[in-house]
């Protein structure tokens, strides 16, 4: 069985690299994207099984990226990873198709759970 492909989308390179390193330790292949545009134009988008998506990014933010994924009939799961503890962000993300919204401080603890979801 091949390793799952996970896209990590965050404009902060430190967060992107931290999440990617943890995912690689868990056996995933990682596609690093600095913003939503990088993700939506990635050649491997159809192979991505899980997207960890920052909500607040310059350019194509999390909401616009989620809507772009749905317009492309993306079938993988999207977990919004944000610094905002805001019920409105959670509601908007869920309405746009996110499977969950995690605080960045919780993300590392939950990576294995989301990686192993069917």
């Amino acid at each position: 069985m091949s390793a799952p492909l996970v896209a990590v989308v965050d404009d902060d390179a430190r967060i992107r690299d931290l999440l990617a390193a943890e995912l690689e330790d868990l056996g995933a292949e990682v596609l690093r994207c600095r913003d939503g545009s990088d993700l939506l134009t990635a050649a491997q988008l159809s192979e991505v099984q899980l997207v960890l998506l920052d909500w607040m990014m310059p350019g194509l933010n999390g909401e616009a990226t989620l809507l772009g994924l749905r317009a492309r009939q993306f079938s993988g799961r999207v977990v919004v990873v944000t610094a905002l503890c805001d019920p409105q962000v959670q509601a908007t993300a869920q309405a746009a198709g996110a499977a969950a919204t995690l605080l960045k401080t919780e993300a590392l603890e939950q990576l294995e759970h989301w990686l192993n979801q069917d």
Side-chain angles (χ1 to χ4, degrees):
M1 185 168 141
S2 63
L5 180 59
V6 179
V8 176
V9 186
D10 199 305
D11 59 310
D12 185 330
R14 296 167 300 172
I15 300 290
R16 195 170 56 238
D17 290 343
L18 181 65
L19 291 171
E22 185 70 20
L23 286 161
E24 289 167 347
D25 285 349
L26 292 169
E29 290 185 43
V30 179
L31 173 64
R32 291 172 171 90
C33 301
R34 59 182 161 73
D35 60 25
S37 296
D38 273 1
L39 176 66
L40 295 177
T41 59
Q44 310 97 313
L45 181 59
S46 65
E47 300 166 30
V48 172
Q49 295 167 317
L50 174 64
V51 175
L52 299 177
L53 178 64
D54 185 19
W55 192 251
M56 295 187 309
M57 295 180 288
L60 209 55
N61 67 19
E63 183 178 10
T65 302
L66 264 171
L67 295 173
L69 286 168
R70 296 307 168 218
R72 287 165 176 75
Q73 299 177 340
F74 177 73
S75 61
R77 290 175 320 284
V78 179
V79 175
V80 171
V81 180
T82 181
L84 297 176
C85 184
D86 181 346
Q88 183 60 43
V89 169
Q90 292 176 337
T92 303
Q94 186 175 19
T101 304
L102 300 177
L103 289 174
K104 286 186 178 184
T105 55
E106 302 171 334
L108 286 175
E109 298 168 4
Q110 301 225 7
L111 287 180
E112 190 168 10
H113 167 78
W114 286 102
L115 189 60
N116 293 319
Q117 291 283 312
D118 290 322

